[in-house]
Amino acid sequence: MSYPSALPLSQVRFDHGFLAGRARLVRETVIPGQWDALNDRIPGAERSGCVHNLQVAAGEKTGEFHGLFWQDSDLAKWIEAASYRLATHPDPTLDAELDRLIATITRAQREDGYLNTYFQLVEPQNRWANLRDCHELYVAGHLIEAGVAHFQATGKRTLLDVVGKLADLVARTFGSGPGQIPGYCGHEEIELALVKLARATGEQRYLALAEYFITQRGQSPNYFETEAKVRGEKGKLPWHMHHDGLATLQAACPVAELKEPVGHAVRMMYLLAAMLDLAQEKNDPVLREQGRDLWQATVARHLYVTGGVGSEPYGEKFCEPFDLPPDRAYAETCAAIGVVLCARRMLEHELDGAHADVMERALYNNVLAGLALAGRTYFYVNPLEVVPAVAKRRFECHLVKTQRVPWFGCACCPPNVARLFASLGAYAYAQLTDGLAVHLYAGGDVSFTVGSVPVQLRVTTEYPWKERVEFTVEAAAAVEFTLHLRLPGWCRTPHLEVNDRPVRPDVNRGYARVRRTWQRGDKVTLDLPMPVERVHADARVAAAAGQVALQRGPIVYCVEQADNGAQLSALSLPRSSPLKAHFAPDLLGGCVIIEGQALRTGSGDKLYTTEPAPVASVALCAVPYALWANRGEGEMRVWLRES
Amino acid sequence: MSYPSALPLSQVRFDHGFLAGRARLVRETVIPGQWDALNDRIPGAERSGCVHNLQVAAGEKTGEFHGLFWQDSDLAKWIEAASYRLATHPDPTLDAELDRLIATITRAQREDGYLNTYFQLVEPQNRWANLRDCHELYVAGHLIEAGVAHFQATGKRTLLDVVGKLADLVARTFGSGPGQIPGYCGHEEIELALVKLARATGEQRYLALAEYFITQRGQSPNYFETEAKVRGEKGKLPWHMHHDGLATLQAACPVAELKEPVGHAVRMMYLLAAMLDLAQEKNDPVLREQGRDLWQATVARHLYVTGGVGSEPYGEKFCEPFDLPPDRAYAETCAAIGVVLCARRMLEHELDGAHADVMERALYNNVLAGLALAGRTYFYVNPLEVVPAVAKRRFECHLVKTQRVPWFGCACCPPNVARLFASLGAYAYAQLTDGLAVHLYAGGDVSFTVGSVPVQLRVTTEYPWKERVEFTVEAAAAVEFTLHLRLPGWCRTPHLEVNDRPVRPDVNRGYARVRRTWQRGDKVTLDLPMPVERVHADARVAAAAGQVALQRGPIVYCVEQADNGAQLSALSLPRSSPLKAHFAPDLLGGCVIIEGQALRTGSGDKLYTTEPAPVASVALCAVPYALWANRGEGEMRVWLRES
């Protein structure tokens, strides 16, 4: 292989520390719980209908389709997550459950390869008739990802064959040839899935199809306009396309002309991920450069401090550069996952710690916020400031939930979190030709090879709560390789020791390169001092002017009503106020909290006055943003006014 | 009369200074220009169709109805404005134009008194069938106000008879008697109009009808629910009723149970105005108290510093207490006019300067902002912060115009501004049993009576640009009376002289009472020092935390891109920064501007950083908020961060 690539999941094990805890939660609680949700077995939750729909389509039961056009994709993402779990933690019961489910899927698939329970059960006559709105290829993409994951986890071709047949149908159906549809999906996803399928099967035609979908997108005449005419559609575009029109779907111009992320945030991120994949597979310098530029535009002008993207709730979209209001942050969990997907691909293009910094920011903050501590409820929208009464009241916040919920009518986020956390190993490490890159620090083991020599590395750490990460080489024989250890951008004074002797590493683009002939038992100690930092946004971020976010290591903090009382906007943090971090073992599952003195402005009896209000000194307690809303409903805010 | 009451408009003349200038603009430019708009003679403006609709309904021409259910009300408000103009500035041409228009109205009226061109031309079968949404009684109310104004201005009963016939139809149709409709209008207006009609005609039955509409509102069974069932309506309420349901229309509970302003802001203010009128007419202490409480709740928790109300754009509504975001301020021009209407009624209940302070705040800031300096374009929505690219982009700002426009599809605001400014005299002064109250200071003359003795008072002032107001008594004979001069709440050190000798007046609730036997030529000089003030909002106003608004006298200021460059959010105002005001004769028609030194935070190359950004000292120039957006499109903001 010519570029840094993820290791097979079976070669990575997380067994202690924070990320391992979250991964275990996903394995033991989230994935089984979501299976219940998909089977409509959670009282009080919004109905999924996923398994029901599939069984009806397979002829195993009778009934009506429930849900949205893309309902199948929830199940597909869950299968992907469950497959990753099988890869790291073999489990005959789950394996058998998946086999049964895949058998049903196989029965549901039409002879020609078509598979989409909505269109099979509700609108069979409208297959491929509305690519703009109906997500058929998106659903196919998620099924393909599931098929690849299941194959890689189990070696079984059952689902892979199903999705191969589906992909072949798509390949026959779409393209510029006679009788083919010159279209593409309103919601990108199949593009990156097809690259995965090409990689898993070695079939280059899937790559060509991905390339077709990407390059055909936004070409003139615009396919979405053409098909709308064919449908006889008149009048307005769907509401979510307000203001942006076809740019909502990244289809107002050819993809090659995109210079700024536009439109629906998840779609944009999935498109970018696919562009980066394609650039990699084709070794295309122009596409690579464009992908990098789009990525840089995203992180330089559109990223919340929590790592989320999408600041226009009405349509779940990118907004103007630097327009990042905290209360109206959409910052969909899926979009932050998209950021993680793109960051990993950027790291495959160039081993630059800046990309890992963004990945870590998104993962530890926005993505993790999507999942409750107890692993049974979820956020879809992740604002950086919530006043419950206001969020429930204002229309622009009407999609904000002030508490996580067990399921959603549109439940894209929960299984997306599950598949990401079930495959964390693919984000933490990359196999390089000269050794191993470590992007994320988490306690466990990783196995990789140097030439043909297997190496095992043990990682011991309580990161991100503690500053130390220890690596112990457990190679069978002395072997020379380079350990590329990420030095996080937030860390000013990293300190490295090899076998207890300080070394000044060769640092390149945020990675310390430690090359030597390693012996079994060699130990590397990386200290990443984590003082509490006050993070300022660029002055162009109007919503954060005069304010700071607290950050320690990769963790972005927030203040909650539970610790600081209501009306958090009345708090300000003096520039001179010292802030201390300490581990609170009994709080929120055990986490580092930040404490200090703040000022609280008092209220008087006049709405407007020329008299400055009285100000009192009060204790401030900040908790990790990702852990907010685990103690009942209350206010929360990330940005704190400096005084 | 037992309470302070407005003087006939003919007894008040404004002839110099700021308000006189605005009143002249309305007289000479706005009212004729709106007549053009109502006749669809303004190229590029949204079509009104008002006169057209009326002519079609009158059988004078053929054609289709154009516009909304309530289109007639624009014309009605214009007739009211034009009538006020006739009252103060007799004009045979306008008089004749009105006569012709009223003749058409008379022809359009149905035999039974019904008058509403939409229902006559489009849905004759649905008369009174949807009071919740269709504004039939609202339109009737505006016609009644027009009829009363025309009668009072001209002494002609032509339009008064038409609206009397209409009101009689309404009285026959609505009520709790057999065959009557126990309903009321979704948009309040007819209630206060009926009180006006009762006062103008002495017919108490109109007062009883107003009372019926007010007390029946929100009673159970809810009429809007009943009529919706009759219509066979299923499914959701109209979008603008989101979250609040019937409270959008102040109809979720009986009016007597309202404790906080709710729902659509204009409707709420018009309801409150009617409640205060009714309390006055009935001398009802319970209703008076409730009206006062609602008023106090409005100004204590829901008022923008510019005097506007309504901070939820989606449905033009009141929001949570203290939730007053500047960028999402709806602050409809009509709603601020509603504040003025209620303030004047509060002043009739109790001569308390606090009410006049609110009236002045709304009038000089939010209301005036609704009208361009040139008098030909209007704002409907009046945010306190605009970044044009963001306002055009974000859905919650989609009703914000970044520049005033010549007309609106829903054009309630322009003629509302016209009728208010054409009747300013009724807001500036009140006749008391013991003399005269002066609420607003504007250059001109006022005639009133003491017993049967006519008195004329000359007011000389360049208020609000200059601090001095001079009154000269031009009575025919020596007469004893009290001059109640408002000492504005924003003024810390008012200074009063009578005949050039300082006096310490008897001050009661914000009014200086100067009682003496006045001689012709007696002079009162009132100095109202107007230093630049920094106004703080209560700490519960999250959106203004750590910020100040600049105010001088009654004028609230803003910074504009034209003077301060783009990205106004990067500006902050040091607490220690001195601010100076001076009159700029060539700017925005001549106004006092505020200048000082501010800080501007610079931008770097990182979206987030732990390094505080560089800050530069820059000149700050603030202009009256009401005059913003008269120099092309650009950013604007009222609240400035203090540093």
Side-chain angles (χ1 to χ4, degrees):
Chain A
M1 70 196 59
S2 60
Y3 48 84
S5 66
L7 292 163
L9 292 182
S10 58
Q11 292 176 214
V12 181
R13 192 164 63 100
F14 299 114
D15 58 12
H16 69 278
F18 181 70
L19 278 191
R22 295 274 97 186
R24 187 185 320 112
L25 183 76
V26 167
R27 224 161 45 229
E28 297 175 0
T29 303
V30 171
I31 289 176
Q34 294 190 351
W35 183 236
D36 287 340
L38 294 163
N39 282 279
D40 305 318
R41 292 194 293 247
I42 300 184
E46 288 202 56
R47 185 179 169 201
S48 163
C50 271
V51 174
H52 161 85
N53 293 338
L54 187 70
Q55 289 170 337
V56 175
E60 297 176 1
K61 67 189 279 197
T62 56
E64 302 237 314
F65 176 89
H66 171 83
L68 304 159
F69 302 124
W70 55 89
Q71 208 78 352
D72 292 346
S73 63
D74 299 342
L75 184 64
K77 277 189 271 190
W78 180 83
I79 296 171
E80 189 185 342
S83 299
Y84 294 146
R85 183 186 154 191
L86 281 186
T88 58
H89 293 75
D91 173 344
T93 310
L94 178 61
D95 193 17
E97 187 83 82
L98 279 174
D99 284 344
R100 280 191 297 276
L101 180 63
I102 290 165
T104 301
I105 292 174
T106 308
R107 278 190 290 277
Q109 186 172 35
R110 288 288 167 267
E111 190 58 40
D112 64 356
Y114 190 80
L115 184 53
N116 182 305
T117 66
Y118 174 80
F119 281 93
Q120 291 172 224
L121 299 176
V122 185
E123 294 190 55
Q125 74 284 12
N126 289 330
R127 192 197 274 196
W128 314 130
N130 184 349
L131 300 181
R132 188 189 69 197
D133 303 335
C134 293
H135 294 23
E136 273 166 293
L137 292 168
Y138 166 87
V139 170
H142 276 303
L143 284 165
I144 291 168
E145 286 203 87
V148 171
H150 185 254
F151 168 65
Q152 290 176 333
T154 64
K156 298 180 196 175
R157 299 193 59 97
T158 46
L159 189 56
L160 187 69
D161 286 344
V162 166
V163 303
K165 200 169 154 189
L166 171 58
D168 291 337
L169 168 69
V170 171
R172 287 195 305 276
T173 307
F174 291 88
S176 52
Q180 287 186 306
I181 300 173
Y184 39 88
C185 192
H187 194 317
E188 297 90 329
E189 153 62 24
I190 195 168
E191 298 81 358
L192 70 86
L194 287 167
V195 177
K196 273 194 182 179
L197 187 61
R199 286 174 178 169
T201 61
E203 299 285 357
Q204 290 305 299
R205 67 180 189 280
Y206 298 131
L207 191 68
L209 184 56
E211 184 177 10
Y212 176 76
F213 283 141
I214 292 172
T215 54
Q216 173 65 2
R217 193 168 201 91
Q219 297 291 348
S220 190
N222 190 287
Y223 179 73
F224 293 137
E225 292 178 346
T226 306
E227 66 157 28
K229 267 184 221 148
V230 171
R231 286 196 302 275
E233 193 174 288
K234 277 170 194 152
K236 290 186 181 173
L237 289 169
W239 64 269
H240 68 276
M241 293 174 74
H242 84 104
H243 187 276
D244 298 297
L246 291 169
T248 303
L249 321 174
Q250 299 80 40
C253 64
V255 165
E257 293 171 20
L258 283 178
K259 300 212 181 314
E260 196 83 13
V262 291
H264 187 272
V266 178
R267 302 179 202 213
M268 181 68 234
M269 289 293 97
Y270 284 13
L271 170 62
L272 179 56
M275 290 165 69
L276 292 168
D277 280 343
L278 187 65
Q280 197 67 281
E281 289 299 322
K282 310 248 319 172
N283 197 16
D284 178 338
V286 174
L287 188 56
R288 190 190 305 273
E289 200 55 42
Q290 196 210 349
R292 181 195 286 120
D293 288 351
L294 271 172
W295 170 254
Q296 295 294 7
T298 304
V299 303
R301 294 189 280 281
H302 297 273
L303 193 77
Y304 278 102
V305 71
T306 51
V309 291
S311 66
E312 165 60 287
Y314 201 73
E316 316 185 311
K317 295 196 229 186
F318 280 95
C319 209
E320 293 298 295
F322 303 105
D323 184 29
L324 297 165
D327 55 334
R328 287 164 279 165
Y330 200 70
E332 182 181 339
T333 306
C334 285
I337 290 172
V339 170
V340 172
L341 299 183
C342 290
R344 192 186 81 184
R345 284 159 173 84
M346 283 305 301
L347 285 168
E348 291 168 0
H349 279 280
E350 52 190 25
L351 195 64
D352 187 327
H355 308 321
D357 287 347
V358 175
M359 180 164 84
E360 194 181 44
R361 184 182 289 282
L363 180 70
Y364 274 100
N365 300 292
N366 192 317
V367 175
L368 262 176
L371 176 62
L373 262 185
R376 299 199 175 277
T377 54
Y378 307 90
F379 275 140
Y380 186 122
V381 182
N382 295 282
L384 282 72
E385 177 184 333
V386 171
V387 175
V390 172
K392 290 174 183 177
R393 178 70 191 76
R394 299 195 73 87
F395 179 75
E396 64 271 26
C397 300
H398 77 286
L399 295 166
V400 168
K401 306 272 187 197
T402 57
Q403 290 278 274
R404 291 177 188 83
V405 298
W407 205 248
F408 301 90
C410 173
C412 49
C413 298
N416 221 350
V417 170
R419 68 180 186 139
L420 179 67
F421 274 88
S423 61
L424 262 188
Y427 298 85
Y429 303 100
Q431 168 86 59
L432 304 182
T433 44
D434 71 344
L436 183 80
V438 186
H439 304 317
L440 300 174
Y441 297 118
D445 304 285
V446 54
S447 302
F448 60 103
T449 54
V450 177
S452 57
V453 183
V455 182
Q456 194 174 22
L457 192 70
R458 170 102 193 122
V459 185
T460 307
T461 185
E462 291 299 330
Y463 186 98
W465 308 134
K466 296 193 179 169
E467 300 171 345
R468 174 158 295 185
V469 190
E470 287 183 345
F471 303 86
T472 312
V473 174
E474 299 178 342
V479 55
E480 188 180 6
F481 66 85
T482 306
L483 210 48
H484 300 255
L485 299 178
R486 170 174 162 252
L487 303 180
W490 49 259
C491 185
R492 297 162 194 250
T493 54
H495 177 79
L496 194 70
E497 296 188 356
V498 176
N499 294 331
D500 299 324
R501 291 164 70 174
V503 294
R504 261 191 71 186
D506 167 25
V507 178
N508 186 47
R509 302 180 81 175
Y511 282 79
R513 295 194 277 208
V514 192
R515 181 164 190 87
R516 55 185 276 140
T517 301
W518 299 88
Q519 311 290 338
R520 179 199 288 260
D522 275 354
K523 197 175 81 175
V524 177
T525 307
L526 178 62
D527 280 307
L528 299 167
M530 299 179 180
V532 177
E533 301 276 10
R534 292 172 181 233
V535 176
H536 304 261
D538 184 279
R540 287 166 288 190
V541 181
Q547 299 179 84
V548 290
L550 302 184
Q551 186 170 338
R552 178 185 173 275
I555 304 293
V556 174
Y557 282 75
C558 70
V559 289
E560 281 201 281
Q561 183 174 340
D563 306 301
N564 302 279
Q567 219 186 301
L568 298 171
S569 63
L571 293 176
S572 70
L573 188 60
R575 274 181 195 78
S576 58
S577 195
L579 294 164
K580 285 188 183 167
H582 71 88
F583 189 76
D586 300 325
L587 192 65
L588 297 166
C591 66
V592 171
I593 63 172
I594 296 173
E595 294 184 314
Q597 285 300 114
L599 298 175
R600 181 177 268 278
T601 308
S603 277
D605 57 356
K606 284 187 175 171
L607 186 51
Y608 301 108
T609 169
T610 54
E611 304 302 320
V615 167
S617 180
V618 294
L620 181 91
C621 171
V623 299
Y625 167 76
L627 305 181
W628 89 278
N630 276 294
R631 293 175 290 171
E633 185 171 272
E635 291 185 28
M636 179 277 293
R637 67 185 290 147
V638 169
W639 291 105
L640 295 171
R641 191 157 39 92
E642 265 201 334
S643 56
Chain B
M1 71 196 59
S2 60
Y3 49 83
S5 66
L7 293 163
L9 292 182
S10 58
Q11 291 177 214
V12 181
R13 192 166 61 99
F14 299 113
D15 59 11
H16 70 278
F18 181 71
L19 278 192
R22 296 273 96 186
R24 186 185 320 114
L25 183 76
V26 166
R27 227 162 43 231
E28 296 176 0
T29 303
V30 171
I31 290 175
Q34 295 190 352
W35 182 237
D36 287 338
L38 295 163
N39 281 280
D40 305 318
R41 291 193 294 246
I42 300 185
E46 288 202 55
R47 186 179 169 200
S48 162
C50 271
V51 174
H52 161 86
N53 293 338
L54 187 70
Q55 290 170 336
V56 175
E60 297 175 2
K61 65 188 280 196
T62 57
E64 304 237 312
F65 177 88
H66 171 84
L68 304 158
F69 302 124
W70 54 88
Q71 208 77 353
D72 291 348
S73 63
D74 300 341
L75 184 64
K77 277 187 271 189
W78 180 84
I79 296 170
E80 189 185 342
S83 299
Y84 295 146
R85 183 185 154 191
L86 280 187
T88 59
H89 294 76
D91 173 344
T93 309
L94 178 61
D95 193 16
E97 188 84 82
L98 279 174
D99 284 343
R100 280 192 296 276
L101 179 64
I102 290 165
T104 301
I105 292 173
T106 309
R107 278 191 289 276
Q109 186 171 36
R110 289 288 167 267
E111 191 57 39
D112 63 357
Y114 191 80
L115 185 53
N116 181 305
T117 66
Y118 173 81
F119 281 94
Q120 291 172 224
L121 299 176
V122 184
E123 295 189 55
Q125 74 283 12
N126 289 330
R127 193 197 273 197
W128 314 129
N130 185 348
L131 299 181
R132 189 190 68 197
D133 303 335
C134 294
H135 294 26
E136 273 166 293
L137 292 169
Y138 166 87
V139 169
H142 276 302
L143 283 165
I144 291 167
E145 286 203 88
V148 170
H150 185 254
F151 167 66
Q152 290 176 333
T154 63
K156 299 179 195 174
R157 298 192 59 97
T158 47
L159 189 56
L160 187 69
D161 286 345
V162 166
V163 302
K165 199 169 155 190
L166 171 59
D168 291 339
L169 169 69
V170 171
R172 288 195 305 279
T173 307
F174 292 89
S176 53
Q180 286 186 306
I181 299 173
Y184 39 89
C185 192
H187 194 317
E188 298 89 330
E189 152 62 24
I190 195 168
E191 298 81 359
L192 71 85
L194 286 166
V195 177
K196 273 194 180 178
L197 186 61
R199 287 174 177 168
T201 61
E203 299 284 357
Q204 291 303 300
R205 67 180 189 280
Y206 298 130
L207 191 67
L209 184 57
E211 185 177 11
Y212 177 76
F213 282 141
I214 292 172
T215 54
Q216 173 66 3
R217 193 169 202 91
Q219 296 292 348
S220 189
N222 190 287
Y223 179 74
F224 292 137
E225 292 178 346
T226 306
E227 66 157 28
K229 267 184 219 146
V230 171
R231 285 197 302 275
E233 193 173 288
K234 277 170 193 151
K236 291 185 181 173
L237 290 169
W239 65 268
H240 68 276
M241 293 174 73
H242 83 103
H243 187 277
D244 298 297
L246 291 168
T248 302
L249 321 174
Q250 299 80 40
C253 65
V255 165
E257 293 172 19
L258 283 179
K259 298 211 182 316
E260 195 81 15
V262 291
H264 188 271
V266 177
R267 302 179 201 214
M268 181 68 233
M269 289 294 97
Y270 284 12
L271 170 62
L272 179 56
M275 289 165 69
L276 292 168
D277 281 342
L278 187 65
Q280 198 67 282
E281 290 299 323
K282 310 247 317 171
N283 196 17
D284 177 340
V286 175
L287 188 55
R288 190 192 306 273
E289 200 55 43
Q290 196 210 350
R292 181 195 286 120
D293 288 350
L294 271 172
W295 169 254
Q296 296 294 7
T298 304
V299 303
R301 295 189 280 280
H302 297 273
L303 192 76
Y304 278 102
V305 71
T306 51
V309 291
S311 66
E312 167 59 288
Y314 201 72
E316 316 184 310
K317 295 195 229 186
F318 279 96
C319 208
E320 293 298 295
F322 303 104
D323 184 28
L324 297 165
D327 55 333
R328 288 163 279 165
Y330 200 70
E332 182 181 339
T333 305
C334 285
I337 290 171
V339 170
V340 172
L341 298 184
C342 290
R344 192 186 80 185
R345 284 158 172 86
M346 283 305 301
L347 285 167
E348 290 168 0
H349 280 279
E350 52 190 25
L351 195 64
D352 186 326
H355 308 321
D357 288 346
V358 175
M359 182 165 83
E360 193 181 47
R361 185 183 287 285
L363 180 70
Y364 273 100
N365 301 292
N366 191 316
V367 175
L368 262 176
L371 177 62
L373 262 185
R376 300 199 176 276
T377 54
Y378 307 90
F379 276 140
Y380 187 121
V381 181
N382 295 282
L384 282 73
E385 177 184 330
V386 171
V387 176
V390 172
K392 290 175 182 176
R393 178 69 190 76
R394 298 195 73 88
F395 180 75
E396 64 270 27
C397 299
H398 77 285
L399 295 166
V400 168
K401 306 272 187 197
T402 57
Q403 291 279 273
R404 292 177 187 83
V405 299
W407 205 247
F408 302 90
C410 173
C412 49
C413 298
N416 221 350
V417 171
R419 68 181 186 138
L420 179 68
F421 274 88
S423 60
L424 262 187
Y427 298 85
Y429 303 101
Q431 169 85 59
L432 304 182
T433 44
D434 71 344
L436 183 80
V438 186
H439 304 316
L440 300 175
Y441 297 118
D445 304 285
V446 54
S447 303
F448 60 105
T449 54
V450 177
S452 58
V453 183
V455 182
Q456 194 175 23
L457 192 70
R458 169 102 194 124
V459 185
T460 308
T461 185
E462 291 299 329
Y463 186 99
W465 308 134
K466 296 194 179 169
E467 300 172 345
R468 174 158 296 186
V469 190
E470 287 183 344
F471 304 85
T472 312
V473 174
E474 298 179 342
V479 56
E480 187 181 9
F481 65 88
T482 306
L483 210 47
H484 299 255
L485 299 179
R486 171 174 161 251
L487 302 180
W490 50 257
C491 184
R492 298 161 193 249
T493 54
H495 178 79
L496 193 70
E497 296 188 357
V498 176
N499 294 332
D500 300 324
R501 292 165 68 175
V503 294
R504 260 192 71 185
D506 167 26
V507 178
N508 186 46
R509 301 181 81 175
Y511 282 79
R513 295 194 278 210
V514 191
R515 182 165 189 87
R516 55 184 278 139
T517 300
W518 299 89
Q519 311 288 338
R520 179 199 287 261
D522 275 355
K523 196 174 83 175
V524 178
T525 305
L526 178 62
D527 280 306
L528 299 167
M530 299 178 180
V532 177
E533 301 277 9
R534 292 173 181 233
V535 176
H536 305 261
D538 185 280
R540 287 166 288 189
V541 181
Q547 299 179 85
V548 290
L550 302 184
Q551 185 170 339
R552 178 185 173 276
I555 304 293
V556 174
Y557 281 74
C558 70
V559 289
E560 281 201 282
Q561 184 174 339
D563 305 302
N564 302 280
Q567 221 187 301
L568 298 171
S569 64
L571 293 176
S572 71
L573 188 59
R575 274 179 196 79
S576 58
S577 197
L579 293 164
K580 286 188 182 166
H582 70 88
F583 188 76
D586 300 325
L587 193 65
L588 296 166
C591 66
V592 170
I593 63 172
I594 296 173
E595 293 183 314
Q597 285 298 114
L599 299 175
R600 181 177 268 277
T601 308
S603 278
D605 56 356
K606 284 186 174 172
L607 186 51
Y608 301 108
T609 169
T610 54
E611 304 302 322
V615 167
S617 181
V618 294
L620 180 91
C621 171
V623 299
Y625 168 76
L627 304 181
W628 89 278
N630 276 294
R631 293 175 289 172
E633 185 171 272
E635 291 184 30
M636 179 277 292
R637 68 184 289 146
V638 169
W639 291 105
L640 295 172
R641 192 158 39 93
E642 264 200 335
S643 55

